[in-house]
Amino acid sequence: MLPRPLFCEEHNMFRDSVRRFMQNEVEPNHADWEAQGYVDRSVWLKAGQNGFLCASMPEAYGGAGVDKRYSVVLMEEIARANATGLGFGLHSEIVAPYILHYGSEEQKTRFLPKMAGGEWISAIAMSEPAAGSDLQGIKTNAVRDGEHYVLNGSKTFITNGWHADVVIVVAKTDPQKGAKGISLFLVQAGTPGFEKGQRLKKIGLKAQDTAELFFDNVRLPAESLLGGEGEGFVYLMQELPWERLQIAISAVESAQAAIDWTVDYVKERRAFGTTVSAFQNTRFKLAELQTEVQVARVFVDRCIELILDGKLDSTTASMAKYWCTDLQCKVIDECLQLHGGYGYMWEYPIARAFADARVQRIYGGTNEIMKELITRSMGLGAR
């Protein structure tokens, strides 16, 4: 493997700490969490106590004030362990940055320390039953009424939705203005009219508490608005490159984990009087997959350098998201094939990874949308 100069000794020490946490607190419990459909809240508190939540947030708000590379390490170790029930990345590096970048001082002080400590779990509610990648097509609305907004609508496919103590809700405050009429709101659990639906049953990600959310005449104080009214779409577009890169980061590490599991398996599995690793087809296939994953990692590491410098553009992030998630699914499928019938058994990590990976080509904007964004940058947009 090529060296990764992106990380220094402190990052490597942090990685060792995260890996031990995964081995001791997560991996022994993940099967139980899959069976019950959600992870225990206790693991959030333990993660907070270890400094694994909102690490890149300033110390003044409960974070560690470190750079995003520490969050990258956490994402990679979660993917390596296939601990797909943990919604830490969305909580720490999607929701928290919205509050940090666009929230008032009161909002930052109220929400971020409890999020960093794992006391409060967060979610962001974009997708709706009839609007996924097309954010401008949302129907959820918030109407100003004196010193309040009245929120109505529903959301679906919301990661951390069932556990969530606070949710960033994307809503239209002026339906006539299109993208310029979209705003963001901070909605706390227990607010009258805000109800959580049942946990959704999915093909994979079975330990992740994905839920529907419903808003029926929810009266929100005007100070629940996150940032400026009508600025929500701009905020979403500004944060999307980092959000999409996070998906690519996890995809590459997941693919590498699949290769590592498969190498171990084919060395031990015997067929026709020899190990499966002795067959040229096995060796050549794994050589091809390892090369492709290595190429993807170099590209993603370069994207991480760009995000650290504030230079990652939407087009490049879209390339990373689409390419790496397509590759992840391909690699895991090929590795499952090398496991033979055992690859289809849920007790093997490759089977669970196969089911978990498929959604990565859908969420964060479908890969078809990613390609559309890329072609627009090439001057090939639809006329």
Side-chain angles (χ1 to χ4, degrees):
M1 297 298 119
L2 289 173
R4 301 179 72 188
L6 185 66
F7 300 107
C8 66
E9 184 58 31
E10 286 77 11
H11 297 114
N12 295 332
M13 292 171 61
F14 182 71
R15 187 182 297 277
D16 290 340
S17 178
V18 174
R19 189 167 294 184
R20 286 195 300 272
F21 182 82
M22 292 293 141
Q23 292 170 344
N24 296 331
E25 303 293 344
V26 176
E27 292 176 27
N29 300 307
H30 205 271
D32 291 337
W33 295 339
E34 287 181 338
Q36 70 185 13
Y38 59 92
V39 304
D40 294 333
R41 289 187 73 104
S42 60
V43 77
W44 284 85
L45 291 169
K46 290 176 182 177
Q49 292 164 3
N50 282 275
F52 297 153
L53 300 178
C54 303
S56 65
M57 295 299 104
E59 292 183 52
Y61 303 121
V66 296
D67 65 69
K68 283 185 172 67
R69 284 173 291 184
Y70 287 86
S71 295
V72 170
V73 167
L74 187 67
M75 294 170 203
E76 290 183 343
E77 290 304 308
I78 289 173
R80 179 180 180 273
N82 201 42
T84 53
L86 301 179
F88 294 174
L90 179 138
H91 172 88
S92 300
E93 288 298 338
I94 295 181
V95 178
Y98 276 101
I99 298 174
L100 178 68
H101 296 158
Y102 312 115
S104 66
E105 187 61 30
E106 189 277 333
Q107 289 170 335
K108 296 174 189 177
T109 303
R110 182 173 13 142
F111 295 109
L112 291 177
K114 289 185 177 179
M115 289 169 58
E119 300 168 66
W120 282 7
I121 297 172
S122 65
I124 184 165
M126 298 187 198
S127 296
E128 297 184 1
S133 297
D134 178 17
L135 287 177
Q136 295 188 53
I138 64 171
K139 301 298 182 185
T140 298
N141 63 87
V143 178
R144 186 69 184 249
D145 181 20
E147 294 303 310
H148 291 78
Y149 285 90
V150 180
L151 180 68
N152 282 282
S154 64
K155 300 291 183 177
T156 193
F157 311 138
I158 308 306
T159 301
N160 295 345
W162 187 73
H163 264 324
D165 298 288
V166 59
V167 182
I168 295 177
V169 179
V170 182
K172 285 189 175 178
T173 43
D174 190 341
Q176 306 304 315
K177 290 185 178 179
K180 295 182 179 179
I182 292 176
S183 303
L184 307 182
F185 294 89
L186 288 163
V187 184
Q188 291 182 241
T191 304
F194 171 29
E195 300 291 338
K196 300 174 183 178
Q198 63 182 352
R199 294 187 306 277
L200 301 174
K201 294 182 180 180
K202 310 178 296 295
I203 292 175
L205 307 182
K206 294 182 182 295
Q208 190 183 95
D209 60 307
T210 310
E212 298 174 301
L213 305 179
F214 302 96
F215 309 94
D216 183 12
N217 289 319
V218 179
R219 290 188 67 82
L220 300 172
E223 54 268 25
S224 298
L225 181 68
L226 182 61
E229 183 175 309
E231 297 294 322
F233 192 79
V234 173
Y235 300 155
L236 293 168
M237 293 304 104
Q238 289 173 342
E239 299 298 323
L240 275 176
W242 174 223
E243 294 172 22
R244 287 171 175 159
L245 178 57
Q246 292 177 56
I247 298 173
I249 290 166
S250 296
V252 172
E253 193 63 35
S254 173
Q256 183 62 59
I259 291 173
D260 294 343
W261 300 330
T262 306
V263 168
D264 290 341
Y265 179 82
V266 298
K267 286 179 179 178
E268 298 296 328
R269 178 66 174 169
R270 298 186 66 83
F272 302 101
T274 187
T275 61
V276 174
S277 62
F279 300 130
Q280 187 182 71
N281 176 71
T282 300
R283 300 196 309 275
F284 280 17
K285 179 57 66 178
L286 286 168
E288 293 167 7
L289 298 178
Q290 185 62 79
T291 301
E292 291 181 84
V293 170
Q294 181 65 73
V295 171
R297 190 184 292 284
V298 171
F299 177 49
V300 167
D301 280 0
R302 176 57 184 145
C303 289
I304 295 170
E305 293 174 346
L306 290 172
I307 202 75
L308 292 170
D309 292 337
K311 296 178 180 179
L312 182 66
D313 61 87
S314 179
T315 299
T316 306
S318 297
M319 291 176 178
K321 192 271 180 185
Y322 129 66
W323 178 261
C324 293
T325 55
D326 271 10
L327 177 63
Q328 175 192 18
C329 289
K330 171 190 172 182
V331 169
I332 293 175
D333 180 70
E334 295 277 14
C335 287
L336 189 152
Q337 187 73 17
L338 289 173
H339 278 72
Y342 287 103
Y344 206 64
M345 298 297 106
W346 195 253
E347 64 190 274
Y348 281 76
I350 195 67
R352 299 193 297 275
F354 180 83
D356 292 340
R358 185 58 181 83
V359 74
Q360 297 229 71
R361 294 166 60 193
I362 298 172
Y363 64 32
T366 66
N367 284 4
E368 289 73 22
I369 294 296
M370 297 302 99
K371 294 173 187 178
E372 182 65 30
L373 295 172
I374 295 165
T375 57
R376 288 178 187 177
S377 73
M378 300 166 67
L380 298 173
R383 297 180 182 275

